[in-house]
Amino acid sequence: MTEASSPLALVVLAAGKGTRMKSDLHKVLHPIAGRPMLMHLLASADALEPARKVVVVGAGREQLAAALGDSAELAVQDPQLGTGHAVQQAEGALAGFAGDVLILYGDVPFVTSTTMRAMLERLHGADNPAVVVLAFEPENALQYGRVIAEAGVVTKMVEHKDASEAERACRLCNSGLMAVRGGELFNLLARVGNDNAQGEYYLTDIVNVANGDGRVCAVVVTGDPDEVAGINSRAELAEAEGRWQKKRRLQAMADGASLVAPETVWFAWDTKLGRDVTVEQNVIFGPGVTVADNVVIHAFCHIEGAWLESGVSVGPFARLRPGAVLEEKARVGNFVEVKNAVLHAGAKANHLTYLGDADVGAGANIGAGTITCNYDGYFKYRTVIGERAFIGSNSALIAPVKIGADAIVAAGSAVSRDVADGELRLVRAEQLVKPGWADRFHDAMKRKKAERK
């Protein structure tokens, strides 16, 4: 609901072909910080508790249908005759809706809920505006459409291609986002023509139609042009990722984390860091990571879908995959990979280890070169390691298998049967000793080599 308690509907335009992306993936599904740009936008809009959400689609509609599920209704624009025509395709989905409508763009992902709320509040201003336009002032106005306004009231909207030199000199640019009352939107759109340089039905023309009726149209100006930056190419996608990461790094440090080389740390959209966390160089967080207080993440780690409790140490050169849980003061060292496994309090795997589909008891020690053999080509199986168990280096634990508490698995063992509590399990071929054999071998080979000269 809006501040004025009027029901809210979203109309999100996502029918563009995205040809500049040169991708089989729909443009608005390209990720920033591990999340599709469209989902960034909808997450911000959801803070306003919209009653309805309509996404206008064209090419690639099947991908959007799969991504959105039943969270939004789809309206199809085919053929594509401009932004005004695109919004008209939502008329059926919004039949009878008399609340507020926010018109957004799927490739403009970082508009904040604060800005959206400001637009809606202005729509309910004392002068009863018919349309509220979101504008911005970029350093270079380029090819943006212009908003001609006086004292916050829009006198004219004009696309760059149709603007005069005097109008192009205006620095107030149109973001494309608008707020309109549902009871008026489609009446205004029905009166928009296509007599312009593109031969299209421009959404911006509803402002000129409303002005012709003697209605007030208002402008809200965002102070952050990056908030309304559209993404149409791979280069712009990379720039948006860079801006997002920079802000997130600053936020992490402001919240009490230490980033040794901030520019080399990459966060996902939902990364959570506690206080007094230290993150060294070249660490990448994928989605679904929560890090508690007093954790150290050493250089060159990749962490995704993991939960790290207080006092944990990770890396360097470690990989934590989805389902990895490191409880208090657990340690994972260099070249260790953990997947769908729990290391309970104080457990450690300091180097060269793979722990997949495993449960490692508190205080257990996993030696270098140990692997849990969790997959037979068809099914995954689990390994359970008891408290304080010691797994010797270069051991293979062939799941499903259970290692008891305080048990010892000797180095180089391949364990396929359960090990009882306190038991030593040694699985090796008997060593064969031949005294003097190596000396005789060397002597023979040296003679052979000399004879060939």
Side-chain angles (χ1 to χ4, degrees):
M1 302 288 284
T2 68
E3 292 296 324
S5 297
S6 177
L8 172 64
L10 309 177
V11 176
V12 181
L13 304 190
K17 295 179 180 178
T19 53
R20 289 168 58 192
M21 282 287 189
K22 293 182 173 60
S23 176
D24 293 332
L25 181 66
H26 195 289
K27 178 173 70 171
V28 302
L29 296 180
H30 279 262
I32 298 171
R35 186 189 215 182
M37 64 173 88
L38 175 61
M39 302 312 177
H40 281 281
L41 176 68
L42 292 177
S44 294
D46 282 346
L48 279 63
E49 301 180 2
R52 302 191 194 180
K53 290 184 276 189
V54 183
V55 178
V56 181
V57 300
R61 67 194 69 165
E62 298 83 4
Q63 293 182 14
L64 286 172
L68 291 165
D70 59 2
S71 66
E73 188 170 347
L74 300 186
V76 178
Q77 184 192 22
D78 187 15
Q80 294 171 22
L81 303 176
T83 51
H85 178 255
V87 176
Q88 280 184 310
Q89 309 316 301
E91 185 170 8
L94 296 182
F97 183 78
D100 300 336
V101 178
L102 265 179
I103 300 169
L104 308 170
Y105 290 77
D107 59 1
V108 182
F110 294 127
V111 184
T112 65
S113 54
T114 299
T115 294
M116 295 179 196
R117 188 171 285 109
M119 294 172 66
L120 295 170
E121 289 175 350
R122 184 67 185 89
L123 188 65
H124 290 272
D127 53 354
N128 192 36
V131 182
V132 173
V133 176
L134 180 63
F136 65 107
E137 293 185 288
E139 291 184 9
N140 189 332
L142 299 171
Q143 304 295 310
Y144 291 111
R146 301 303 201 269
V147 180
I148 313 302
E150 296 179 8
V153 173
V154 181
T155 58
K156 185 179 181 181
M157 298 278 288
V158 59
E159 294 295 320
H160 181 271
K161 292 180 180 180
D162 302 302
S164 67
E165 287 303 314
E167 290 166 340
R168 289 179 182 180
C170 171
R171 293 191 63 251
L172 196 61
C173 295
N174 175 32
S175 72
L177 280 70
M178 294 186 178
V180 194
R181 291 177 184 81
E184 299 178 338
L185 172 60
F186 297 105
N187 176 268
L188 292 170
L189 283 169
R191 296 154 63 193
V192 169
N194 66 342
D195 184 16
N196 52 61
Q198 292 290 97
E200 294 184 347
Y201 298 90
Y202 294 148
L203 176 61
T204 52
D205 281 350
I206 66 173
V207 171
N208 301 328
V209 170
N211 281 341
D213 293 342
R215 298 288 303 280
V216 169
C217 293
V219 62
V220 169
V221 182
T222 174
D224 181 8
D226 288 344
E227 185 180 10
V228 293
I231 299 171
N232 296 292
S233 67
R234 305 276 187 163
E236 290 174 352
L237 182 69
E239 290 169 2
E241 178 81 46
R243 291 193 300 269
W244 189 95
Q245 292 292 341
K246 184 176 180 179
K247 290 179 181 178
R248 182 64 183 87
R249 293 164 189 147
L250 291 172
Q251 185 63 54
M253 291 185 287
D255 290 342
S258 292
L259 309 184
V260 173
E263 68 281 2
T264 70
V265 177
W266 291 76
F267 291 103
W269 65 274
D270 60 348
T271 306
K272 297 180 177 65
L273 296 185
R275 295 179 61 180
D276 294 315
V277 170
T278 297
V279 183
E280 293 183 354
Q281 304 93 318
N282 296 291
V283 172
I284 296 175
F285 294 97
V289 176
T290 298
V291 180
D293 297 344
N294 300 300
V295 169
V296 176
I297 301 172
H298 294 286
F300 294 96
C301 291
H302 189 286
I303 303 175
E304 179 178 0
W307 182 283
L308 280 60
E309 296 188 3
S310 178
V312 161
S313 176
V314 179
F317 296 99
R319 184 182 182 197
L320 304 184
R321 294 169 56 193
V325 176
L326 275 59
E327 293 188 352
E328 203 169 325
K329 296 184 179 179
R331 297 177 59 88
V332 166
N334 50 287
F335 304 105
V336 173
E337 180 178 355
V338 181
K339 187 273 297 185
N340 191 29
V342 180
L343 274 70
H344 292 281
K348 57 186 177 180
N350 281 328
H351 31 227
L352 301 164
T353 294
Y354 171 69
L355 296 172
D357 299 289
D359 193 287
V360 182
N365 184 89
I366 311 299
T370 296
I371 61 170
T372 56
C373 307
N374 58 322
Y375 183 51
D376 63 3
Y378 295 92
F379 302 102
K380 300 288 180 66
Y381 303 93
R382 200 156 187 88
T383 297
V384 178
I385 300 171
E387 295 181 356
R388 299 172 303 280
F390 183 95
I391 310 300
S393 297
N394 203 35
S395 293
L397 308 180
I398 304 168
V401 69
K402 181 177 180 181
I403 312 299
D406 298 302
I408 296 175
V409 173
S413 294
V415 179
S416 58
R417 292 181 295 174
D418 289 354
V419 179
D421 293 351
E423 181 177 286
L424 168 66
R425 179 66 56 85
L426 189 153
V427 188
R428 302 179 191 148
E430 184 178 353
Q431 293 193 33
L432 181 63
V433 180
K434 294 186 176 183
W437 186 94
D439 290 335
R440 293 192 296 273
F441 171 80
H442 293 312
D443 291 342
M445 297 307 288
K446 287 174 183 177
R447 286 194 302 271
K448 184 178 292 188
K449 188 172 183 179
E451 290 169 357
R452 291 185 178 182
K453 289 184 179 180

